[in-house]
Amino acid sequence: MKELRLMKGNEAMAEAAIRAGFDGYFGYPITPQSEVMEHLQKERPAIRTGMVVLQAESEVASINMVYGGAASGKNVLTSSSSPGISLMQEGISYIAAAELPCLIINVVRGGPGLGDIQAAQSDYFQAVKGGGHGDYRLIVLAPSSVQECSDFVKLALELANKYNNPAMLLSDGAIGQMMEKVELFPQQPRWTLEEIRKKKPWATNGRLFNQERHIVTSLHLIPEKLEAHNNHLQAKYKEIEKNEVRYEEIKCDDAEYIIVAYGLASRTAQKTLQLARAEGIKLGLIRPITLFPFPKIPISTYAEKVKGFLTLEMSAGQMVEDVRLAVNGRVPVEFYGRTGGMLPAPDEVLAVVKNVFKI
Amino acid sequence: MAKVKGTIVVDTETCKGCEVCIPVCPTNVIAMSAKVNSKGYNYMNLVGEDCTGCTNCAVVCPDGVITVYRVKV
Amino acid sequence: MNIEMIKPENLVYTKTKLMTDNALSYCPGCGHGTAHRIIMEVIDEMGIQEDTIGIAPVGCSVLAYEFMNIDMQEASHGRAPALATAVKRLWPDKYVFSYQGDGDLAAIGTAETIHACNRGENIVMIFINNGIYGMTGGQMAPTTLPNMKTATSPYGRDVKEMGHPLKMTELIAQLPGTYYVTRQAVHKPANVRKTKKAIRKAFELSKENVGVCFIEIVSNCNSGWKMRPNEANIWMEDNMFPFFPLGDIKVDGQLITK
């Protein structure tokens, strides 16, 4: 029997965290995502599933609680918004280096600085290129609906555990705050002790008799060892790029021009498509769902067929660079964006398409 | 009280010659050797006969290099 | 040296097997090694090495996990209490301790320290206070004494400019979340034995979920203070102890009124 609810994106992510079988959540209030922890505390998952929910003294403490929990073999997550995620960057770098599976949710708000609390996509670089120190990557999923907010929490946990790598959900203030119909997936059991021992033999949760003890660290003082570790990480990221790219294509088969947009901006783009098609303009949309691994191949393939791309972002232009890399100069890759939490309107975007491509 | 006699075994290779043990020996039977270990540290060793196996030196050694034996005589 | 005395039945003291055979990275005579050893002796004697997780900080004891032969996690600078909080909450029947220096616990990690204590986490917090940043080469720390010369207070700590040494242990003792708070030392046998008792008491208490057990160990830093170990230990008694007096500060949740 389908479980349908009308929920905010933030609430859907919280509910999904309980249902995905997470063991712990550690977070700190920040608009526009405080409902994640509010929902979790209201639902008392300690009774429902035994899940630990703890409000920390800061985002720095939160991400380090996630580090400790993940290093002990538990499935843990945190959520925050842009300024908070900036505070978490050192911790995230440690987590990526120590190869600890976990989920970090970023409900992006207008920046830079204190900015505002409206929706934005200006954390793309931080999420996809790595906002902390060192060469590392997060698996980054970009939901564009409340349904995807719920589904991607479950998917992110699976991918994080599959690759022993932190995963990030890159949502935004609008998706977090808007209410939509969502079908909730059934409760998944939390991992048993045996499952933790089997699937995470490296975890530090008290070694069993005569099992050798474990160390979780990101310290490798000998350069040869650190380089070998880096090579290992890079090989893993190649593997993720090979296997885990996810994207959506709409009306690209006959498209002469394609918009590339993710999350909220992709919803605006879909309306722009309708308006364009009504005027006989062959416009298509590629919506990256995984921002890392980025869908280079489909974009590169279409670069052989279309006359140009327009990247639409709620930022000053970040993903556009990855689109340009994929297109590699074969056709123009234009950019249109609004910042500060402003939302681009569908007709506004259509006007830009017509203008830049002289239609 | 039954007379007690003790002795110590020193891991001279690991000793760093910090001398923290020297002043804590109640019977002053330990001292720094003139010889050095492979790292160049003078190491401590038993020099006197009246070790009582009280473990003071072992307990205060930061590197845990001293093993103590004691026997009632 | 009476060879025939050296027999297992006569053994009264040896290094615990819960210390690895790795040579300690600490300077000759540094209290870290002693502190490590007695913690591991307590865990060994309680037979809980299969249920104990230690959290190492950043600082001289960043390599603690190379020496402590149990499950260990390496925290980023100042965050060990946060890691310990999560591990203990997620594994309530395990023993969890954090091990930190003064820079880690009382400077960058102040918030984590105070809030772990304020929440009354059922963890053991070990705090090695040697009044200086050792690993990075002897810079001034929150617990550096007034007029004490360091790499970043070359003319002595000026309290007008840099404030007074931070009595973190007294601070957290005021919080209801702390249950047993004590300040000890490991530079003399009597002190080592007392500290070991305190550590044993702390680990025993953490079974009864009574809140934070916090043990400060005032220790020396021979390289940072630029003194030979025994000289440093005397200097410590004459200078550190008056400002950081040894003894229990809080027992069974009650502050000890001097």
Side-chain angles (χ1 to χ4, degrees), chain C residues 120-163:
Chain C
E121 301 295 342
N122 297 306
I123 58 176
V124 177
M125 294 175 73
I126 311 274
F127 167 33
I128 311 296
N129 174 13
N130 57 14
I132 202 158
Y133 282 89
M135 166 65 87
T136 40
Q139 293 80 13
M140 182 175 68
T143 51
T144 295
L145 298 180
N147 309 316
M148 187 174 159
K149 288 188 172 62
T150 72
T152 50
S153 60
Y155 308 105
R157 176 176 187 163
D158 175 359
V159 294
K160 286 196 302 307
E161 196 191 299
M162 281 310 289

Side-chain angles (χ1 to χ4, degrees), chain A residues 92-310:
Chain A
I92 290 173
S93 172
Y94 275 63
I95 289 170
E99 298 194 82
L100 300 176
C102 68
L103 172 59
I104 303 129
I105 296 171
N106 180 4
V107 180
V108 180
R109 62 189 249 176
L114 195 46
D116 66 12
I117 58 170
Q118 270 69 31
Q121 299 183 322
S122 35
D123 295 1
Y124 177 92
F125 280 153
Q126 182 188 58
V128 174
K129 307 297 175 183
H133 56 288
D135 293 298
Y136 71 90
R137 295 293 195 142
L138 306 182
I139 299 166
V140 183
L141 295 166
S144 67
S145 66
V146 173
Q147 184 64 54
E148 284 188 341
C149 283
S150 170
D151 298 342
F152 286 2
V153 163
K154 182 161 171 287
L155 174 60
L157 178 60
E158 284 153 16
L159 292 175
N161 278 319
K162 183 175 175 183
Y163 293 96
N164 278 338
N165 205 75
M168 175 172 276
L169 240 67
L170 199 64
S171 179
D172 64 66
I175 296 177
Q177 290 297 332
M178 71 179 164
M179 296 185 87
E180 279 182 332
K181 186 178 73 176
V182 56
E183 183 189 339
L184 295 172
F185 54 86
Q187 179 66 47
Q188 312 292 304
R190 283 175 50 228
W191 288 16
T192 61
L193 182 60
E194 288 66 35
E195 278 177 306
I196 294 174
R197 288 267 191 261
K198 201 159 51 63
K199 296 178 185 176
K200 298 182 180 175
W202 44 263
T204 55
N205 41 43
R207 56 185 193 154
L208 281 188
F209 184 71
N210 67 35
Q211 173 196 357
E212 97 292 343
R213 60 93 174 230
H214 302 113
I215 301 168
V216 170
T217 180
S218 57
L219 180 67
H220 303 285
L221 284 174
I222 299 163
E224 287 82 358
K225 284 222 168 95
L226 185 53
E227 180 171 56
H229 185 57
N230 266 287
N231 294 343
H232 160 72
L233 291 177
Q234 290 304 317
K236 179 168 76 170
Y237 302 142
K238 291 277 174 301
E239 196 59 21
I240 293 171
E241 280 188 301
K242 195 158 65 71
N243 305 329
E244 306 301 341
V245 170
R246 287 164 172 79
Y247 67 98
E248 185 186 11
E249 260 184 52
I250 299 171
K251 293 192 168 61
C252 288
D253 305 342
D254 67 341
E256 289 178 357
Y257 303 97
I258 289 180
I259 294 181
V260 182
Y262 70 90
L264 196 68
S266 71
R267 297 173 70 129
T268 304
Q270 285 184 40
K271 187 62 180 170
T272 305
L273 242 58
Q274 284 165 18
L275 302 176
R277 289 285 169 166
E279 294 181 21
I281 299 168
K282 292 198 171 88
L283 188 60
L285 166 66
I286 291 177
R287 173 172 76 101
I289 291 172
T290 54
L291 301 182
F292 182 83
F294 191 70
K296 303 175 196 168
I297 294 168
I299 291 173
S300 173
T301 313
Y302 278 110
E304 296 296 329
K305 291 169 55 183
V306 302
K307 295 180 189 156
F309 291 85
L310 174 76

Side-chain angles (χ1 to χ4, degrees), chain C residues 11-196:
Chain C
L11 180 69
V12 284
Y13 190 88
T14 186
K15 192 175 85 166
T16 162
K17 61 183 181 327
L18 288 191
M19 285 294 280
T20 66
D21 295 330
N22 298 332
L24 293 178
S25 52
Y26 304 115
C27 307
C30 168
H32 268 306
T34 321
H36 281 30
R37 219 189 60 248
I38 52 177
I39 295 168
M40 288 304 118
E41 283 173 16
V42 164
I43 292 172
D44 196 359
E45 284 149 22
M46 289 176 71
I48 55 173
Q49 61 269 31
E50 285 158 21
D51 289 310
T52 304
I53 297 112
I55 317 288
V58 166
C60 284
S61 50
V62 66
L63 290 173
Y65 58 80
E66 294 286 352
F67 314 123
M68 297 181 180
N69 194 10
I70 57 169
D71 270 12
M72 296 284 296
Q73 298 180 0
E74 171 51 58
S76 48
H77 196 28
R79 317 308 171 193
L83 280 78
T85 295
V87 177
K88 180 64 177 179
R89 294 222 172 193
L90 291 163
W91 297 90
D93 55 2
K94 301 287 179 182
Y95 294 86
V96 182
F97 71 93
S98 56
Y99 184 102
Q100 298 174 270
D102 41 65
D104 201 86
L105 181 139
I108 190 170
T110 304
E112 280 75 11
T113 300
I114 287 181
H115 285 280
C117 290
N118 198 52
R119 286 189 302 265
E121 301 295 342
N122 297 306
I123 58 176
V124 177
M125 294 175 73
I126 311 274
F127 167 33
I128 311 296
N129 174 13
N130 57 14
I132 202 158
Y133 282 89
M135 166 65 87
T136 40
Q139 293 80 13
M140 182 175 68
T143 51
T144 295
L145 298 180
N147 309 316
M148 187 174 159
K149 288 188 172 62
T150 72
T152 50
S153 60
Y155 308 105
R157 176 176 187 163
D158 175 359
V159 294
K160 286 196 302 307
E161 196 191 299
M162 281 310 289
H164 292 265
L166 184 58
K167 292 193 172 184
M168 184 55 84
T169 304
E170 278 80 356
L171 262 177
I172 54 97
Q174 314 305 316
L175 303 171
T178 53
Y179 186 80
Y180 172 51
V181 180
T182 185
R183 177 181 289 121
Q184 300 294 333
V186 288
H187 66 308
K188 285 216 173 85
N191 294 95
V192 173
R193 294 185 177 111
K194 231 188 279 176
T195 306
K196 183 172 173 179

Side-chain angles (χ1 to χ4, degrees), chain B residues 29-47:
Chain B
V29 290
I30 52 175
M32 299 312 288
S33 159
K35 295 201 268 334
V36 293
N37 62 22
S38 65
K39 296 207 181 85
Y41 289 119
N42 296 90
Y43 49 81
M44 72 84 79
N45 60 14
L46 190 61
V47 290

Side-chain angles (χ1 to χ4, degrees), chain A residues 17-47:
Chain A
I18 300 171
R19 290 169 178 248
F22 273 93
D23 300 302
Y25 169 93
F26 306 94
Y28 189 78
I30 181 168
T31 304
Q33 64 81 54
S34 301
E35 292 88 350
V36 177
M37 186 156 50
E38 288 166 19
H39 179 86
L40 284 171
Q41 296 286 24
K42 198 151 36 88
E43 283 298 312
R44 283 216 290 266
I47 296 165

